[in-house]
């Protein structure tokens, strides 16, 4: 009985050490895929429960890609069950704003306009393109890690990223021409 409790404690400690530091990245991915703060929190909670349940099958040391793969799969399950929800994401300024040293009014206005245009362009992407962009550009994962998380070939990752970047470029150019 004592050995079973110690094993459970070891599992919890190892889980906390390997997985828990990546909750911010998990939330970020879930937020962009579901489009809503509360839905993202629910998805991350469900993903963490799944991750803990199957933690005995985790034999690596890199918890981030493993957790993000679970979050991704949980998001897609959630999206399938809740098709009535939009597949685009809005942006929470308080959560995602990055402070800058140059916070004069003009720079702040330009940065706000740039952020708005980029957020809008990201929201226009199909979810599979948005997913690889978030994993690569915001989470800094390698192509190989993204391929593993998304369950797609490396070439598909590169193709989706290229298409996503081209769509972003087109959307941003169009938006700037309109303004």
């Amino acid at each position: 009985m004592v050995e079973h409790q110690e094993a459970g404690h070891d599992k919890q400690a190892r889980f906390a050490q390997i997985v828990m530091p990546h909750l911010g990245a998990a939330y970020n991915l879930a937020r962009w895929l579901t489009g809503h703060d509360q839905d993202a929190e629910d998805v991350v909670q469900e993903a963490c429960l799944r991750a803990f349940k199957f933690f005995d099958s985790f034999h690596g040391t890199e918890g981030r890609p493993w957790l993000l793969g679970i979050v991704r799969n949980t998001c897609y399950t959630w999206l399938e069950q809740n098709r009535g929800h939009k597949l685009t994401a809005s942006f929470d300024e308080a959560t995602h704003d990055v402070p800058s040293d140059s916070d004069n009014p003009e720079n702040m206005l330009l940065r706000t306009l740039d952020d708005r245009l980029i957020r809008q362009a990201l929201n226009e992407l199909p979810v599979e393109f948005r997913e690889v962009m978030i994993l690569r550009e915001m989470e800094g994962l390698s192509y190989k890690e993204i391929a593993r998380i998304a369950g797609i070939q490396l070439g598909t990752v590169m193709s989706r990223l290229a298409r996503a970047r081209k769509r972003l470029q087109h959307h941003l150019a169009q938006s700037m021409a309109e303004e």
Side-chain angles (χ1 to χ4, degrees):
M1 174 98 161
V2 173
E3 289 179 23
H4 182 67
Q5 288 175 340
E6 288 177 13
H9 179 69
D10 288 346
K11 178 181 176 180
Q12 289 174 351
R14 191 166 170 255
F15 184 83
Q17 179 185 11
I18 293 175
V19 176
M20 299 305 281
H22 308 295
L23 288 181
Y27 175 80
N28 188 39
L29 177 60
R31 176 70 178 83
W32 278 100
L33 293 180
T34 64
H36 302 282
D37 292 330
Q38 185 63 47
D39 296 335
E41 290 172 7
D42 291 345
V43 164
V44 170
Q45 183 177 11
E46 176 64 27
C48 284
L49 289 171
R50 289 180 185 182
F52 189 73
K53 181 178 179 181
F54 296 104
F55 192 63
D56 291 332
S57 67
F58 175 73
H59 300 294
T61 57
E62 293 295 320
R64 186 176 184 194
W66 184 74
L67 177 62
L68 291 179
I70 294 170
V71 168
R72 177 204 182 264
N73 293 337
T74 305
C75 279
Y76 278 106
T77 299
W78 182 89
L79 289 170
E80 285 177 14
Q81 294 171 350
N82 299 283
R83 289 185 189 260
H85 289 269
K86 294 189 323 184
L87 292 180
T88 60
S90 59
F91 187 84
D92 179 10
E93 197 75 36
T95 302
H96 296 95
D97 191 31
V98 177
S100 173
D101 294 335
S102 56
D103 281 338
N104 69 49
E106 182 181 6
N107 285 342
M108 288 173 63
L109 176 63
L110 290 173
R111 201 171 45 250
T112 300
L113 290 173
D114 289 345
D115 288 349
R116 182 184 56 80
L117 288 173
I118 292 168
R119 286 190 313 268
Q120 185 179 10
L122 275 170
N123 287 336
E124 296 291 324
L125 291 175
V127 72
E128 64 271 7
F129 289 175
R130 189 176 339 129
E131 166 186 68
V132 294
M133 285 295 293
I134 299 304
L135 291 172
R136 178 68 183 159
E137 303 303 336
M138 293 184 177
E139 297 304 328
L141 296 177
S142 71
Y143 289 8
K144 190 175 184 178
E145 290 171 321
I146 295 168
R148 196 171 346 131
I149 289 168
I152 56 178
Q153 297 292 320
L154 191 61
T156 304
V157 171
M158 293 187 295
S159 172
R160 285 183 184 177
L161 277 169
R163 289 178 185 167
R165 288 175 178 141
K166 187 173 182 176
R167 284 186 182 203
L168 282 174
Q169 182 181 20
H170 176 74
H171 188 276
L172 291 172
Q174 206 173 28
S175 295
M176 292 176 77
E178 291 172 2
E179 292 184 5

